[in-house]
Amino acid sequence: GNSVTQMEGPVTLSEEAFLTINCTYTATGYPSLFWYVQYPGEGLQLLLKATKADDKGSNKGFEATYRKETTSFHLEKGSVQVSDSAVYFCALVDAYSGAGSYQLTFGKGTKLSVIP
Amino acid sequence: EPEVTQTPSHQVTQMGQEVILRCVPISNHLYFYWYRQILGQKVEFLVSFYNNEISEKSEIFDDQFSVERPDGSNFTLKIRSTKLEDSAMYFCASSEGGGTEAFFGQGTRLTVV
C-alpha cells in the first residue's frame, strides 16, 4: 500500500533560519505529492504540490522537488518567520496506479515552531 | 476565494448519540471526502463520494458511518451511535477532479463524553 514518512518533530528554529522537513513515500503507482499546512486552530491548507518527477512546487517561499529516484519530497524554506509556525503534512494521492485511488495518504505531520 | 465550509466548528455529544456533521464543498467540485484527525495523530481518510455514491471507504468507515448529499450543496457525515474513540477533528474536503488537489474545510471538533 501507499505510505508517507516524515521526519519526527517538533522542530524549533530561530527566525531567518533554514528549514528542511524530510518526506519520503512509497506508492504503487505514480503519485502526485503535496505539502499541507495546519496553522494553530485552523484546518488544512494546501501549501504546494508536484505532479511528476523533477517538478518543483513552490509557494510563500517554501519549495519541494519531486524526486522519483529517491522517492522524496522534502520541504525547504531559506528563511523562516514566526508566522510559519504550524504543523506541516506531506501527502500523496496515487490516482493513476492499477488500483487508482483518490484518497490522500498523509504523513504524521511535523510541528514547526519559529522563535524570534 | 471559494472555500469549503463546515458546521458546527465544535460538537459535544454523549456516547451512543447520533451526530451529523455538515459540509458545503466548493460549488464546481465533483469529488467529496471526509477525513479525521485524532488529537496528535495523523490525518486519516474515511470516505470519498462521487456522482452521488461512495467511491472509496477505509476500514474506519464501518456501518456506524454514513454520508449523504441531500441537496445540491451540502455533504454530510452521520455517525449513528458515537463512541468515545470517535472523538476527533473531522475534515471535509472537495476536489475538482479525482486525484487533483483537495481543499479542506476548517474542521469540526467532535468530543464524545
Side-chain angles (χ1 to χ4, degrees):
Chain A
N2 300 330
S3 68
V4 175
T5 303
Q6 285 180 242
M7 63 185 286
E8 294 287 328
V11 173
T12 302
L13 295 174
S14 297
E15 209 165 19
E16 298 183 4
F18 185 86
L19 168 72
T20 300
I21 301 178
N22 289 338
C23 170
T24 57
Y25 67 90
T26 58
T28 53
Y30 201 155
S32 295
L33 303 174
F34 307 88
W35 278 99
Y36 281 85
V37 59
Q38 186 177 31
Y39 296 104
E42 299 187 16
L44 294 164
Q45 299 176 29
L46 178 66
L47 181 59
L48 54 84
K49 66 173 183 176
T51 57
K52 61 184 188 296
D54 301 325
D55 263 4
K56 178 186 284 188
S58 61
N59 186 24
K60 299 181 181 179
F62 291 89
E63 292 182 342
T65 301
Y66 189 142
R67 300 284 187 205
K68 192 168 187 289
E69 65 275 15
T70 54
T71 61
S72 65
F73 193 54
H74 304 321
L75 182 69
E76 296 182 335
K77 186 174 185 181
S79 176
V80 294
Q81 305 300 312
V82 172
S83 57
D84 294 327
S85 297
V87 181
Y88 292 83
F89 293 92
C90 186
L92 69 83
V93 65
D94 192 9
Y96 303 107
S97 66
S101 166
Y102 301 148
Q103 64 175 275
L104 280 161
T105 300
F106 285 87
K108 290 186 176 181
T110 303
K111 183 176 181 180
L112 170 66
S113 297
V114 181
I115 54 177
Chain B
E1 184 177 325
E3 59 180 14
V4 176
T5 57
Q6 290 185 242
T7 54
S9 56
H10 191 187
Q11 172 114 28
V12 181
T13 188
Q14 288 201 323
M15 193 168 54
Q17 295 297 302
E18 175 183 287
V19 294
I20 297 176
L21 310 183
R22 292 183 164 79
C23 171
V24 179
I26 294 173
S27 61
N28 65 331
H29 285 187
L30 300 177
Y31 291 80
F32 315 118
Y33 313 86
W34 284 101
Y35 289 81
R36 79 172 186 191
Q37 183 183 30
I38 295 172
L39 187 64
Q41 298 188 25
K42 65 164 46 177
V43 178
E44 300 173 295
F45 170 76
L46 292 178
V47 65
S48 61
F49 193 86
Y50 169 71
N51 200 25
N52 285 320
E53 62 182 21
I54 290 173
S55 50
E56 286 180 88
K57 59 182 181 179
S58 71
E59 293 173 352
I60 303 167
F61 194 87
D62 61 21
D63 291 344
Q64 69 162 339
F65 291 94
S66 62
V67 290
E68 195 177 28
R69 188 154 162 82
D71 53 44
S73 59
N74 290 284
F75 179 52
T76 62
L77 174 69
K78 181 191 291 186
I79 309 175
R80 285 189 188 80
S81 177
T82 50
K83 303 192 279 276
L84 293 176
E85 54 265 36
D86 294 327
S87 296
M89 181 75 89
Y90 288 80
F91 290 107
C92 174
S94 68
S95 64
E96 198 168 3
T100 60
E101 63 262 36
F103 292 83
F104 283 75
Q106 299 282 71
T108 294
R109 180 166 296 285
L110 176 65
T111 303
V112 183
V113 296

